[in-house]
């Protein structure tokens, strides 16, 4: 019998401290130890999708609200963070199941979905209809708008209600750590 993936969604405020600790440990391992305090902080404060197989946590993703400037508008954006699946569970559809749960939230609550993708995750997002941003990226920092050229190839968007020119400029709001 093939184990079924169960995906549960909950807001950060509704997750027990033990669950949050388990998620952080899972992400730490999924990112091969490259999950800093600010990366973890970025994944908090929104909706989480948690993937379980036979009651065991195998994957996580979250969506938090951010503001993105595009085409003269400030867009309410569901920004995807902390997408990770246990190494021994990859390639079994858990990432797609996590994204389906978050995309439902994004389509119901935001003008736009956005994320910064690792090179290995880009095929997953593209297969789900996320568009690779083709234009220049920027961040609205305390010192003004700053170009984020190093992010140009990794930003993906999911249009919901916003009209987008994917070759235009995209500016994210400021936060400590990685801005995209």
């Amino acid at each position: 019998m093939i184990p079924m993936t169960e995906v549960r969604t909950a807001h950060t405020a509704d997750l027990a401290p033990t669950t949050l600790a388990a998620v952080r440990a899972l992400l730490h391992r999924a990112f091969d130890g490259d999950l800093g305090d600010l990366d973890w902080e970025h994944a908090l404060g929104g909706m989480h999708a948690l993937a379980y197989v036979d009651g065991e946590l195998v994957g996580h993703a979250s969506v938090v609200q951010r503001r993105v400037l595009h085409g003269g508008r400030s867009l309410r954006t569901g920004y995807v963070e902390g997408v990770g699946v246990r190494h021994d569970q990859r390639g079994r559809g858990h990432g797609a199941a996590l994204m389906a749960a978050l995309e439902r939230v994004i389509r119901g609550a935001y003008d736009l979905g956005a994320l910064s993708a690792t090179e290995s995750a880009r095929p997953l997002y593209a297969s789900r209809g996320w568009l690779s941003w083709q234009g220049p990226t920027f961040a609205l920092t305390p010192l003004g708008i700053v170009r984020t050229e190093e992010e140009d190839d990794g930003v993906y968007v999911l249009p919901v209600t916003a009209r987008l020119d994917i070759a235009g400029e995209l500016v994210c709001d400021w936060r400590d750590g990685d801005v995209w």
Side-chain angles (χ1 to χ4, degrees), residues 49-136:
L50 306 167
Y52 293 87
V53 173
D54 294 333
E56 190 172 339
L57 181 66
V58 298
H60 169 271
S62 63
V63 61
V64 297
Q65 182 169 314
R66 294 188 69 188
R67 286 287 175 175
V68 171
L69 306 176
H70 176 68
R73 292 188 57 213
S74 174
L75 302 172
R76 190 177 60 256
T77 302
Y79 199 82
V80 175
E81 292 284 359
V83 180
V85 174
R86 244 178 40 193
H87 286 286
D88 67 327
Q89 293 290 318
R90 292 182 181 171
R92 299 180 185 187
H94 303 310
L98 291 165
M99 289 305 295
L102 294 187
E103 289 160 0
R104 182 188 64 76
V105 171
I106 290 167
R107 286 187 175 100
Y110 297 102
D111 300 319
L112 171 71
L115 57 84
S116 178
T118 62
E119 193 167 329
S120 63
R122 292 174 188 172
L124 168 65
Y125 302 127
S127 74
R128 301 197 54 77
W130 289 73
L131 306 175
S132 174
W133 193 260
Q134 301 299 303

Side-chain angles (χ1 to χ4, degrees), residues 28-48:
H28 181 75
R29 288 188 303 275
F31 292 122
D32 298 321
D34 191 23
L35 180 80
D37 291 342
L38 291 174
D39 299 319
W40 174 240
E41 182 181 306
H42 294 167
L44 301 175
M47 292 298 293
H48 298 260

Side-chain angles (χ1 to χ4, degrees), residues 38-39 41-42 174-179:
L38 291 174
D39 299 319
E41 182 181 306
H42 294 167
W174 173 252
R175 64 183 185 181
D176 291 328
D178 293 331
V179 293

